[in-house]
Amino acid sequence: MSGQGQRQKYWGALAVVGLLLTAVGVLLGSGFGAIAAPAGAGPTATTSPPTVMSTPLKFTCRVTDQVNAWDSGLTSQITVTYTGVAPVKGWSLVFALPSGQTITSGWNAVYSPASGQVTATNAPYNADVDTGGSVSIGFQATHTGDTGAPAYFLLNGSSCMMD
């Protein structure tokens, strides 16, 4: 086989691989482009535009929230497990209380304001949290019927996964 024939066979095989990568990319949504052979080298694959994918949400903590409710009151026991890389030196946990809930007292954090979007800030004795470490905080609140837990938690501005 001549050198020209071998090159055409090589570039043709490369074009097939490119088509396969494009097909896999479309199926997976990863935006692989095809490999195009030089002009005159045989069949070529066209390059498709890349698929724009959003960056996966990275959680730096896990939160469990156990709510114990009665007539017009409730307690909420929140455990935050830090999963980030560098140890935390001081923290704040932001969450939105369901409508009608108002914090009347709390422990292991300072809470402000008492309703709406609340920020719980560390106490002096639990400010430092190592990777894999946990902090347990909680509060007592009144409610007007909605005894649910907050829908989200942000630790130092980063989203937490809710367990």
Side-chain angles (χ1 to χ4, degrees), residues 26-104:
V26 168
L27 288 174
L28 297 178
S30 64
F32 284 107
I35 300 170
T44 61
T46 58
T47 304
S48 60
T51 302
V52 177
M53 293 185 63
S54 61
T55 304
L57 188 57
K58 294 181 181 177
F59 297 104
T60 58
C61 57
R62 289 188 332 270
V63 172
T64 58
D65 186 3
Q66 296 177 333
V67 177
N68 180 24
W70 60 91
D71 297 329
S72 61
L74 62 83
T75 59
S76 178
Q77 181 65 40
I78 301 168
T79 302
V80 181
T81 302
Y82 178 63
T83 59
V85 179
V88 171
K89 304 290 185 194
W91 54 266
S92 65
L93 185 69
V94 174
F95 54 92
L97 289 175
S99 181
Q101 290 185 16
T102 303
I103 296 174
T104 57

Side-chain angles (χ1 to χ4, degrees), residues 6-29:
Q6 286 178 335
R7 277 193 302 277
Q8 283 181 338
K9 191 174 187 180
Y10 171 79
W11 287 109
L14 220 63
V16 170
V17 168
L19 285 171
L20 290 172
L21 285 174
T22 300
V24 168
V26 168
L27 288 174
L28 297 178

